[in-house]
Amino acid sequence: MRIRDWIRLAPIFLTCLTKLPISHLWYLAGKLRNENPHHHNGRIYVNTFFPPYPSHAFERFLDAVIKRKRVPYSTYFAVTHDCPFNCDHCSCGSRQAGGPEKEQALDVIAQIKSLGACTIGFTGGEPLLRTDIAELVEFARRDLATIVFTSGHGLDGTMAQRLAKAGLDCLMIGVESSQRREHDRIRRVEGSYDQTIRAIKTSLDAGLYTAISTVAMGDKIAAGEIEKLAELAAEYGVHEFRVLEPVPTGRFQGRTDQILTAEESQVLADFHKTWNRTASGPAVTAFSYLESDEMFGCGAGFHHLFIDGAGNVSPCDLTPLSFGNVFIQPLSDIWNKMAQWFDLPRCGCLMKQLCPDLYASPQALPNLPLAEDRSIMLAQKCTRSDQLPGIYRNLFKGRK
Protein backbone atom coordinates (compact mmCIF):
# COMPACT_ATOMS: atom_id res chain seq x y z
CA MET A 1 0.00 0.00 0.00
CA ARG A 2 1.30 3.47 -0.94
CA ILE A 3 2.21 6.17 1.58
CA ARG A 4 -0.65 8.39 0.36
CA ASP A 5 -3.08 5.56 1.14
CA TRP A 6 -1.78 5.31 4.71
CA ILE A 7 -2.24 9.06 5.08
CA ARG A 8 -5.82 8.91 3.76
CA LEU A 9 -6.70 6.02 6.08
CA ALA A 10 -4.92 7.44 9.16
CA PRO A 11 -8.07 9.15 10.55
CA ILE A 12 -9.78 5.75 10.78
CA PHE A 13 -6.99 4.35 12.96
CA LEU A 14 -6.93 7.51 15.09
CA THR A 15 -10.69 7.21 15.67
CA CYS A 16 -10.25 3.61 16.81
CA LEU A 17 -7.18 4.09 19.03
CA THR A 18 -9.13 4.29 22.29
CA LYS A 19 -12.02 2.10 21.16
CA LEU A 20 -10.41 -1.05 19.83
CA PRO A 21 -7.52 -3.19 21.11
CA ILE A 22 -4.14 -1.91 19.93
CA SER A 23 -3.21 -5.50 19.09
CA HIS A 24 -6.19 -5.67 16.70
CA LEU A 25 -5.28 -2.40 14.98
CA TRP A 26 -1.65 -3.49 14.67
CA TYR A 27 -2.68 -6.82 13.13
CA LEU A 28 -5.03 -5.06 10.70
CA ALA A 29 -2.40 -2.50 9.72
CA GLY A 30 0.01 -5.31 8.93
CA LYS A 31 -2.53 -6.98 6.65
CA LEU A 32 -3.25 -3.72 4.80
CA ARG A 33 0.20 -4.04 3.24
CA ASN A 34 -1.37 -6.74 1.07
CA GLU A 35 -3.94 -4.37 -0.43
CA ASN A 36 -3.88 -2.01 -3.39
CA PRO A 37 -6.44 0.74 -2.66
CA HIS A 38 -7.89 2.86 -5.45
CA HIS A 39 -9.00 6.49 -5.31
CA HIS A 40 -12.25 7.11 -7.15
CA ASN A 41 -14.54 10.14 -7.11
CA GLY A 42 -12.93 11.56 -3.98
CA ARG A 43 -13.10 8.34 -1.98
CA ILE A 44 -10.74 5.48 -1.28
CA TYR A 45 -11.69 1.89 -2.00
CA VAL A 46 -9.51 -0.63 -0.19
CA ASN A 47 -11.64 -3.15 -2.06
CA THR A 48 -15.35 -3.97 -2.28
CA PHE A 49 -15.05 -6.17 0.81
CA PHE A 50 -15.46 -2.83 2.64
CA PRO A 51 -17.56 0.29 1.96
CA PRO A 52 -15.65 3.17 0.33
CA TYR A 53 -14.21 5.83 2.65
CA PRO A 54 -15.46 8.38 3.48
CA SER A 55 -19.15 7.48 3.25
CA HIS A 56 -22.13 7.02 5.52
CA ALA A 57 -21.91 3.30 4.80
CA PHE A 58 -18.33 3.27 6.11
CA GLU A 59 -19.46 5.08 9.27
CA ARG A 60 -22.05 2.35 9.83
CA PHE A 61 -19.37 -0.28 9.28
CA LEU A 62 -16.96 1.36 11.73
CA ASP A 63 -19.67 1.75 14.35
CA ALA A 64 -20.51 -1.96 14.11
CA VAL A 65 -16.84 -2.91 14.45
CA ILE A 66 -16.26 -0.65 17.47
CA LYS A 67 -19.37 -1.99 19.22
CA ARG A 68 -18.57 -5.59 18.21
CA LYS A 69 -22.08 -5.97 16.80
CA ARG A 70 -23.36 -9.02 15.00
CA VAL A 71 -24.32 -7.19 11.82
CA PRO A 72 -24.67 -8.42 8.21
CA TYR A 73 -21.96 -6.11 6.89
CA SER A 74 -22.68 -7.35 3.39
CA THR A 75 -26.16 -8.49 2.38
CA TYR A 76 -26.75 -9.81 -1.12
CA PHE A 77 -30.26 -9.57 -2.54
CA ALA A 78 -31.26 -11.50 -5.67
CA VAL A 79 -33.74 -9.16 -7.30
CA THR A 80 -34.49 -11.55 -10.13
CA HIS A 81 -33.99 -15.21 -10.98
CA ASP A 82 -33.93 -14.61 -14.74
CA CYS A 83 -30.67 -14.73 -16.69
CA PRO A 84 -29.86 -15.03 -20.42
CA PHE A 85 -26.95 -17.39 -19.72
CA ASN A 86 -26.65 -20.95 -18.41
CA CYS A 87 -23.28 -21.27 -16.64
CA ASP A 88 -22.64 -24.57 -14.85
CA HIS A 89 -21.21 -22.89 -11.76
CA CYS A 90 -24.18 -20.52 -11.24
CA SER A 91 -25.08 -20.44 -7.54
CA CYS A 92 -28.58 -19.23 -8.44
CA GLY A 93 -29.28 -22.30 -10.55
CA SER A 94 -31.66 -24.83 -8.91
CA ARG A 95 -32.89 -22.15 -6.50
CA GLN A 96 -36.57 -21.40 -6.22
CA ALA A 97 -37.56 -18.97 -8.97
CA GLY A 98 -38.85 -15.56 -8.05
CA GLY A 99 -38.40 -11.85 -8.25
CA PRO A 100 -39.94 -9.22 -5.98
CA GLU A 101 -42.16 -6.44 -7.23
CA LYS A 102 -40.69 -2.96 -6.87
CA GLU A 103 -42.48 -2.07 -3.62
CA GLN A 104 -41.62 -5.47 -2.19
CA ALA A 105 -37.95 -4.97 -3.07
CA LEU A 106 -37.89 -1.50 -1.52
CA ASP A 107 -39.36 -2.91 1.68
CA VAL A 108 -36.69 -5.61 1.83
CA ILE A 109 -33.95 -2.99 1.30
CA ALA A 110 -35.41 -0.92 4.15
CA GLN A 111 -35.32 -3.99 6.40
CA ILE A 112 -31.71 -4.69 5.40
CA LYS A 113 -30.83 -1.12 6.41
CA SER A 114 -32.57 -1.55 9.75
CA LEU A 115 -30.28 -4.47 10.62
CA GLY A 116 -27.31 -2.11 10.42
CA ALA A 117 -25.94 -3.51 7.16
CA CYS A 118 -23.20 -1.55 5.40
CA THR A 119 -23.11 -3.00 1.88
CA ILE A 120 -25.86 -4.35 -0.34
CA GLY A 121 -25.13 -6.44 -3.41
CA PHE A 122 -27.85 -6.63 -6.04
CA THR A 123 -27.57 -9.98 -7.72
CA GLY A 124 -29.69 -12.58 -9.48
CA GLY A 125 -29.97 -13.95 -12.08
CA GLU A 126 -29.17 -10.88 -14.03
CA PRO A 127 -30.19 -7.74 -12.09
CA LEU A 128 -29.87 -5.48 -15.16
CA LEU A 129 -32.95 -7.22 -16.57
CA ARG A 130 -34.94 -5.13 -14.08
CA THR A 131 -35.97 -1.80 -15.54
CA ASP A 132 -36.10 -0.33 -12.01
CA ILE A 133 -32.62 -1.45 -10.88
CA ALA A 134 -31.34 2.15 -10.77
CA GLU A 135 -34.26 3.12 -8.52
CA LEU A 136 -33.42 0.28 -6.13
CA VAL A 137 -29.79 1.42 -6.06
CA GLU A 138 -30.80 5.04 -5.40
CA PHE A 139 -33.02 4.01 -2.49
CA ALA A 140 -30.31 1.81 -0.96
CA ARG A 141 -27.42 4.25 -1.33
CA ARG A 142 -28.68 6.60 1.38
CA ASP A 143 -27.23 4.24 3.98
CA LEU A 144 -25.50 1.41 2.14
CA ALA A 145 -22.61 0.93 -0.23
CA THR A 146 -24.15 -0.51 -3.40
CA ILE A 147 -22.80 -3.17 -5.75
CA VAL A 148 -24.55 -4.57 -8.81
CA PHE A 149 -23.30 -8.02 -9.85
CA THR A 150 -23.87 -8.49 -13.57
CA SER A 151 -22.86 -10.53 -16.58
CA GLY A 152 -22.80 -7.25 -18.49
CA HIS A 153 -25.91 -8.23 -20.43
CA GLY A 154 -28.07 -5.22 -21.25
CA LEU A 155 -25.55 -2.60 -20.15
CA ASP A 156 -25.63 0.27 -22.63
CA GLY A 157 -24.62 3.90 -22.17
CA THR A 158 -28.07 4.92 -20.99
CA MET A 159 -28.24 2.25 -18.29
CA ALA A 160 -24.68 2.97 -17.15
CA GLN A 161 -25.47 6.68 -16.80
CA ARG A 162 -28.65 5.88 -14.87
CA LEU A 163 -26.66 3.74 -12.45
CA ALA A 164 -24.01 6.43 -12.07
CA LYS A 165 -26.67 9.08 -11.41
CA ALA A 166 -28.32 6.77 -8.85
CA GLY A 167 -25.01 6.70 -6.94
CA LEU A 168 -23.92 3.11 -7.59
CA ASP A 169 -20.66 2.42 -5.76
CA CYS A 170 -19.49 -0.52 -7.90
CA LEU A 171 -20.49 -2.39 -11.03
CA MET A 172 -19.07 -5.93 -10.79
CA ILE A 173 -18.96 -7.66 -14.18
CA GLY A 174 -18.41 -11.41 -14.38
CA VAL A 175 -15.75 -12.64 -16.80
CA GLU A 176 -15.36 -16.38 -17.36
CA SER A 177 -12.12 -16.36 -19.35
CA SER A 178 -9.66 -14.06 -21.09
CA GLN A 179 -10.24 -16.18 -24.19
CA ARG A 180 -13.32 -15.41 -26.29
CA ARG A 181 -14.14 -19.00 -27.25
CA GLU A 182 -13.78 -20.36 -23.71
CA HIS A 183 -15.84 -17.53 -22.22
CA ASP A 184 -18.65 -18.17 -24.74
CA ARG A 185 -18.47 -21.92 -24.06
CA ILE A 186 -19.00 -21.42 -20.34
CA ARG A 187 -21.81 -18.90 -20.84
CA ARG A 188 -23.28 -21.11 -23.59
CA VAL A 189 -24.00 -18.05 -25.69
CA GLU A 190 -21.91 -17.08 -28.70
CA GLY A 191 -20.86 -13.45 -28.61
CA SER A 192 -21.11 -13.18 -24.82
CA TYR A 193 -17.39 -12.37 -24.48
CA ASP A 194 -17.66 -9.37 -26.78
CA GLN A 195 -20.74 -8.26 -24.88
CA THR A 196 -18.82 -8.46 -21.60
CA ILE A 197 -15.89 -6.42 -22.93
CA ARG A 198 -18.30 -3.77 -24.21
CA ALA A 199 -19.93 -3.66 -20.78
CA ILE A 200 -16.55 -3.06 -19.10
CA LYS A 201 -15.79 -0.17 -21.44
CA THR A 202 -19.29 1.27 -21.04
CA SER A 203 -19.08 1.15 -17.26
CA LEU A 204 -15.70 2.90 -17.23
CA ASP A 205 -16.91 5.52 -19.70
CA ALA A 206 -19.81 6.31 -17.34
CA GLY A 207 -17.33 6.99 -14.52
CA LEU A 208 -18.38 3.99 -12.44
CA TYR A 209 -16.01 2.15 -10.11
CA THR A 210 -15.71 -0.94 -12.28
CA ALA A 211 -14.69 -4.42 -11.15
CA ILE A 212 -14.55 -7.78 -12.84
CA SER A 213 -14.97 -11.14 -11.13
CA THR A 214 -14.30 -14.74 -12.01
CA VAL A 215 -14.76 -18.19 -10.49
CA ALA A 216 -11.28 -19.72 -10.25
CA MET A 217 -11.70 -23.35 -11.27
CA GLY A 218 -8.70 -25.59 -10.79
CA ASP A 219 -8.04 -25.77 -14.53
CA LYS A 220 -8.10 -21.96 -14.75
CA ILE A 221 -5.45 -21.75 -12.05
CA ALA A 222 -3.28 -24.38 -13.73
CA ALA A 223 -3.51 -22.59 -17.09
CA GLY A 224 -2.44 -19.24 -15.63
CA GLU A 225 -5.84 -17.80 -16.45
CA ILE A 226 -6.07 -15.79 -13.21
CA GLU A 227 -2.94 -13.84 -14.12
CA LYS A 228 -4.26 -13.33 -17.67
CA LEU A 229 -7.56 -11.93 -16.36
CA ALA A 230 -5.70 -9.57 -14.03
CA GLU A 231 -3.67 -8.38 -17.01
CA LEU A 232 -6.87 -7.95 -19.05
CA ALA A 233 -8.32 -5.86 -16.21
CA ALA A 234 -5.17 -3.74 -16.13
CA GLU A 235 -5.29 -3.28 -19.91
CA TYR A 236 -8.78 -1.77 -19.77
CA GLY A 237 -8.23 0.25 -16.59
CA VAL A 238 -10.56 -1.80 -14.40
CA HIS A 239 -10.36 -0.83 -10.73
CA GLU A 240 -10.71 -4.24 -9.09
CA PHE A 241 -10.48 -7.96 -9.89
CA ARG A 242 -12.45 -10.24 -7.57
CA VAL A 243 -11.46 -13.93 -7.53
CA LEU A 244 -13.91 -16.48 -6.14
CA GLU A 245 -13.57 -20.19 -5.44
CA PRO A 246 -15.96 -22.72 -7.01
CA VAL A 247 -18.53 -24.00 -4.52
CA PRO A 248 -20.77 -27.05 -5.10
CA THR A 249 -24.13 -25.33 -4.84
CA GLY A 250 -26.88 -24.11 -7.14
CA ARG A 251 -26.44 -25.62 -10.60
CA PHE A 252 -23.09 -26.94 -9.37
CA GLN A 253 -24.65 -28.93 -6.52
CA GLY A 254 -22.90 -32.17 -5.74
CA ARG A 255 -19.75 -31.24 -7.66
CA THR A 256 -17.44 -31.66 -4.70
CA ASP A 257 -14.71 -32.63 -7.17
CA GLN A 258 -14.56 -28.93 -8.09
CA ILE A 259 -13.61 -27.78 -4.58
CA LEU A 260 -10.11 -26.39 -4.71
CA THR A 261 -7.31 -28.18 -2.93
CA ALA A 262 -5.55 -26.40 -0.08
CA GLU A 263 -2.62 -25.85 -2.43
CA GLU A 264 -4.82 -24.25 -5.11
CA SER A 265 -6.45 -21.97 -2.54
CA GLN A 266 -3.00 -20.94 -1.35
CA VAL A 267 -1.99 -20.07 -4.92
CA LEU A 268 -4.91 -17.61 -5.09
CA ALA A 269 -4.13 -16.19 -1.64
CA ASP A 270 -0.50 -15.67 -2.62
CA PHE A 271 -1.57 -14.05 -5.90
CA HIS A 272 -3.69 -11.55 -3.93
CA LYS A 273 -0.67 -10.52 -1.90
CA THR A 274 1.99 -10.45 -4.60
CA TRP A 275 -0.12 -8.62 -7.20
CA ASN A 276 -1.34 -5.97 -4.75
CA ARG A 277 2.17 -5.27 -3.52
CA THR A 278 3.10 -4.11 -7.02
CA ALA A 279 0.71 -1.15 -6.39
CA SER A 280 -0.33 -1.04 -10.06
CA GLY A 281 -3.28 -2.27 -12.06
CA PRO A 282 -6.51 -3.40 -10.41
CA ALA A 283 -6.86 -4.23 -6.74
CA VAL A 284 -7.01 -8.02 -6.52
CA THR A 285 -9.63 -9.31 -4.10
CA ALA A 286 -9.15 -13.06 -3.70
CA PHE A 287 -11.61 -14.59 -1.28
CA SER A 288 -9.17 -17.47 -0.74
CA TYR A 289 -7.15 -14.89 1.18
CA LEU A 290 -9.78 -12.54 2.62
CA GLU A 291 -11.91 -15.41 3.94
CA SER A 292 -8.95 -17.48 5.10
CA ASP A 293 -8.32 -18.32 8.74
CA GLU A 294 -5.60 -15.65 8.95
CA MET A 295 -8.05 -12.97 7.83
CA PHE A 296 -11.86 -12.73 8.24
CA GLY A 297 -12.74 -16.41 7.93
CA CYS A 298 -16.31 -17.35 7.08
CA GLY A 299 -18.86 -14.74 8.14
CA ALA A 300 -21.91 -16.61 6.84
CA GLY A 301 -24.87 -15.77 9.08
CA PHE A 302 -22.72 -13.46 11.19
CA HIS A 303 -21.37 -10.73 8.93
CA HIS A 304 -23.03 -11.90 5.72
CA LEU A 305 -26.59 -12.62 4.64
CA PHE A 306 -28.34 -13.61 1.42
CA ILE A 307 -31.95 -13.17 0.31
CA ASP A 308 -33.01 -14.90 -2.88
CA GLY A 309 -35.62 -13.75 -5.36
CA ALA A 310 -38.33 -15.78 -3.65
CA GLY A 311 -37.54 -14.16 -0.28
CA ASN A 312 -35.69 -17.08 1.33
CA VAL A 313 -33.04 -15.98 3.83
CA SER A 314 -29.70 -17.85 3.83
CA PRO A 315 -26.42 -17.37 5.71
CA CYS A 316 -24.74 -16.59 2.38
CA ASP A 317 -25.42 -16.90 -1.33
CA LEU A 318 -23.52 -20.20 -1.51
CA THR A 319 -25.30 -22.06 1.30
CA PRO A 320 -28.61 -23.67 0.24
CA LEU A 321 -30.13 -23.25 3.70
CA SER A 322 -33.18 -21.18 4.60
CA PHE A 323 -34.20 -19.86 8.01
CA GLY A 324 -37.34 -18.04 6.96
CA ASN A 325 -38.88 -15.94 4.22
CA VAL A 326 -38.66 -12.15 4.31
CA PHE A 327 -41.94 -11.85 2.40
CA ILE A 328 -43.68 -13.64 5.28
CA GLN A 329 -41.66 -12.75 8.40
CA PRO A 330 -39.75 -9.62 9.44
CA LEU A 331 -36.10 -9.92 8.45
CA SER A 332 -35.04 -8.89 11.97
CA ASP A 333 -36.87 -11.90 13.44
CA ILE A 334 -35.14 -14.28 11.03
CA TRP A 335 -31.73 -12.69 11.64
CA ASN A 336 -32.11 -12.87 15.42
CA LYS A 337 -33.23 -16.50 15.20
CA MET A 338 -30.10 -17.35 13.19
CA ALA A 339 -27.89 -16.03 16.01
CA GLN A 340 -28.11 -19.32 17.90
CA TRP A 341 -26.14 -21.06 15.10
CA PHE A 342 -24.12 -18.12 13.80
CA ASP A 343 -23.00 -16.25 16.90
CA LEU A 344 -19.41 -15.68 15.74
CA PRO A 345 -17.37 -15.93 12.53
CA ARG A 346 -15.82 -19.32 11.89
CA CYS A 347 -12.62 -20.76 10.53
CA GLY A 348 -13.27 -22.71 7.37
CA CYS A 349 -16.06 -22.34 4.81
CA LEU A 350 -19.52 -23.24 6.12
CA MET A 351 -20.61 -24.68 2.76
CA LYS A 352 -17.57 -26.94 2.56
CA GLN A 353 -18.46 -28.22 6.03
CA LEU A 354 -22.03 -28.87 4.90
CA CYS A 355 -21.07 -30.85 1.79
CA PRO A 356 -20.68 -34.34 3.32
CA ASP A 357 -24.21 -34.25 4.76
CA LEU A 358 -25.77 -32.44 1.81
CA TYR A 359 -24.39 -34.81 -0.78
CA ALA A 360 -24.34 -38.08 1.12
CA SER A 361 -26.95 -39.35 -1.34
CA PRO A 362 -26.16 -39.51 -5.09
CA GLN A 363 -29.59 -38.05 -5.83
CA ALA A 364 -29.84 -34.38 -6.68
CA LEU A 365 -31.29 -32.10 -4.05
CA PRO A 366 -34.76 -30.67 -4.60
CA ASN A 367 -35.18 -27.05 -5.57
CA LEU A 368 -33.03 -24.98 -3.28
CA PRO A 369 -32.88 -23.74 -0.62
CA LEU A 370 -33.69 -26.56 1.78
CA ALA A 371 -36.72 -26.30 4.04
CA GLU A 372 -36.21 -24.56 7.36
CA ASP A 373 -36.43 -27.73 9.47
CA ARG A 374 -33.67 -29.47 7.52
CA SER A 375 -31.63 -26.25 7.44
CA ILE A 376 -31.77 -26.07 11.23
CA MET A 377 -30.76 -29.71 11.53
CA LEU A 378 -27.72 -29.16 9.33
CA ALA A 379 -26.80 -25.90 11.09
CA GLN A 380 -26.82 -27.74 14.42
CA LYS A 381 -24.34 -30.27 13.04
CA CYS A 382 -21.97 -27.59 11.72
CA THR A 383 -20.38 -26.71 15.02
CA ARG A 384 -17.88 -23.88 15.09
CA SER A 385 -14.39 -24.50 16.40
CA ASP A 386 -13.10 -22.50 19.37
CA GLN A 387 -10.49 -20.92 17.11
CA LEU A 388 -11.46 -17.52 15.67
CA PRO A 389 -10.16 -16.14 12.35
CA GLY A 390 -7.07 -13.96 12.74
CA ILE A 391 -8.78 -10.56 12.38
CA TYR A 392 -11.17 -11.40 15.23
CA ARG A 393 -8.81 -12.99 17.75
CA ASN A 394 -7.89 -9.70 19.39
CA LEU A 395 -11.15 -7.94 18.56
CA PHE A 396 -13.29 -10.60 20.29
CA LYS A 397 -10.78 -11.69 22.91
CA GLY A 398 -12.61 -13.25 25.84
CA ARG A 399 -15.80 -14.04 23.92
CA LYS A 400 -16.91 -17.66 23.79
Side-chain angles (χ1 to χ4, degrees), residues 176-187 189-195 197 225 232 236:
E176 311 304 339
S177 172
S178 65
Q179 306 302 310
R180 177 179 285 101
R181 182 177 298 178
E182 178 64 7
H183 178 101
D184 289 356
R185 183 193 68 79
I186 294 171
R187 289 268 171 96
V189 174
E190 188 175 349
S192 63
Y193 176 84
D194 293 334
Q195 184 182 68
I197 296 301
E225 185 63 22
L232 182 146
Y236 286 107

Side-chain angles (χ1 to χ4, degrees), residues 35-38 46 209-212 229-242 271-272 275-285:
E35 307 305 328
N36 177 22
H38 279 58
V46 174
Y209 182 90
T210 304
I212 66 169
L229 283 169
E231 290 161 2
L232 182 146
E235 176 186 346
Y236 286 107
V238 167
H239 301 99
E240 184 173 330
F241 174 34
R242 179 179 284 205
F271 180 68
H272 175 116
W275 177 280
N276 285 337
R277 285 178 178 174
T278 67
S280 64
V284 166
T285 309

Side-chain angles (χ1 to χ4, degrees), residues 360-375:
S361 167
Q363 294 181 331
L365 295 173
N367 283 342
L368 304 177
L370 301 178
E372 184 176 348
D373 57 349
R374 189 174 177 199
S375 297

